[in-house]
Amino acid sequence: MADEEKKAASTTGEATATPAAAETPAAPSPTPRPYGRGPGGPGGRRPGGPGGRPGGRGEGGPRKFFRRKKVCKFCVEKIDSINYKDVRLLQQFVAERGKIVPRRLTGVCTPHQRRLTAAIKQARNIALLPFAARY
Amino acid sequence: MDQHQRTYEVMYIVRPDLAEEEAERVISTVESGATAAGLSVKNVERMGKRRLAYKVRKFQDGLYVLLTVEGPGSAVAELERRLRVAEPVIKYITVRVDEEQKRLTKIKKIRDSKVRQRPQTAEAAAGSEPAPATA
């Protein structure tokens, strides 16, 4: 029973913390954030990958990342063409093992992520990027 | 009869163990094959020897060549067939580029015309945002 109470307390703690986290990025960006819900739900796990992810206090660390507003590199730097030949550019959006990094981590906007994904897949096809990097 | 003249980029990889002149011969045969298929060759760019992201036919690196052609899709299909048959060509990819080119010029045009308007639109966006965020 006591455990349940504790759990409830921790979840409510998270719940109260979540809106605060959600509001800060809410002000500058016009879209309803998909990741605003993140810290409370399953999203809390991902940014906290390297460190501890237990609820409540532990989330204080990762949430600092959330405060920093992510911006789309392509929009900011006005990169129009996302070409499969530009390996340097594409590599920034590919994880170590060759996976395409999700938008919620890189902050790339949806239209650009779409183009980016297509370009990365083309680059993979012509062996400019790995499908899976050897380990 | 769809004989639309379109621009394509054909990137292909020549096996690395050929002598330089042999590789050159392969490149020129591909070029003549393209013209024979009914394409007009715009440009041939040798991108040099590159390390492949993964093994292709047991080769770790390859000679990248970028061929820009113009012509109907049926001719490109013929060129691809030739590349598939050609022994020294270990991999190829065809990408249609004219649409992308069109898009880029369009974006550039829009951007040039928007340069004056931008300060106004930015203010308007900032003004309208806080209301929905707090509500």
Side-chain angles (χ1 to χ4, degrees), chain A:
Chain A
M1 279 309 223
D3 279 16
E4 274 182 17
E5 274 178 5
K6 263 185 200 169
K7 266 183 202 166
S10 69
T11 46
T12 48
E14 274 181 32
T16 47
T18 311
E23 261 172 50
T24 23
S29 71
T31 50
R33 58 263 40 278
Y35 60 84
R37 213 178 283 164
R45 197 183 302 160
R46 297 176 201 117
R53 53 143 213 166
R57 290 288 86 90
E59 286 208 325
R63 206 176 302 132
K64 270 173 196 166
F65 283 115
F66 279 91
R67 271 194 206 135
R68 215 184 121 214
K69 197 197 159 198
K70 287 176 207 157
V71 284
C72 175
K73 180 189 170 77
F74 300 98
C75 292
V76 170
E77 297 182 19
K78 302 216 167 92
I79 303 168
D80 295 329
S81 72
I82 304 179
N83 199 302
Y84 69 101
K85 283 170 287 181
D86 195 348
V87 182
R88 282 270 174 75
L89 179 71
L90 299 183
Q91 232 150 22
Q92 297 169 18
F93 297 94
V94 165
E96 243 175 283
R97 289 298 300 269
K99 283 187 181 181
I100 299 171
V101 182
R103 259 171 27 79
R104 81 179 123 76
L105 299 186
T106 56
V108 176
C109 68
T110 314
H112 279 130
Q113 179 77 10
R114 234 179 284 133
R115 295 189 174 281
L116 184 66
T117 306
I120 288 173
K121 286 176 181 178
Q122 282 173 336
R124 280 176 181 172
N125 243 316
I126 194 69
L128 291 173
L129 287 180
F131 283 99
R134 71 206 123 238
Y135 190 57

Side-chain angles (χ1 to χ4, degrees), chain A residues 23 26-30 78 80-85 87 115 122 124-131 134, chain B residues 9 11-13 50-54 56 64 66 91-93 95 100 103-104 107 111 118 129 133:
Chain A
E23 261 172 50
S29 71
K78 302 216 167 92
D80 295 329
S81 72
I82 304 179
N83 199 302
Y84 69 101
K85 283 170 287 181
V87 182
R115 295 189 174 281
Q122 282 173 336
R124 280 176 181 172
N125 243 316
I126 194 69
L128 291 173
L129 287 180
F131 283 99
R134 71 206 123 238
Chain B
E9 267 178 9
M11 189 186 263
Y12 60 93
I13 309 174
R50 264 190 67 105
R51 198 178 168 74
L52 302 176
Y54 47 87
V56 181
Y64 278 77
L66 183 67
K91 217 158 174 49
Y92 62 86
I93 188 175
V95 178
E100 177 76 2
R103 203 189 113 248
L104 287 179
I107 287 177
R111 183 157 293 158
R118 191 168 299 140
E129 251 171 57

Side-chain angles (χ1 to χ4, degrees), chain B residues 72-129:
Chain B
S74 52
V76 172
E78 167 63 15
L79 174 62
E80 284 201 325
R81 192 193 64 77
R82 279 163 199 257
L83 286 174
R84 199 156 40 235
V85 171
E87 173 66 27
V89 175
I90 57 176
K91 217 158 174 49
Y92 62 86
I93 188 175
T94 313
V95 178
R96 193 175 151 195
V97 290
D98 50 358
E99 298 256 281
E100 177 76 2
Q101 216 69 34
K102 232 195 281 175
R103 203 189 113 248
L104 287 179
T105 51
K106 196 172 150 194
I107 287 177
K108 208 173 180 192
K109 228 192 224 168
I110 292 170
R111 183 157 293 158
D112 290 345
S113 67
K114 255 194 183 167
V115 169
R116 278 174 237 151
Q117 297 174 10
R118 191 168 299 140
Q120 283 181 349
T121 51
E123 270 172 39
S128 65
E129 251 171 57

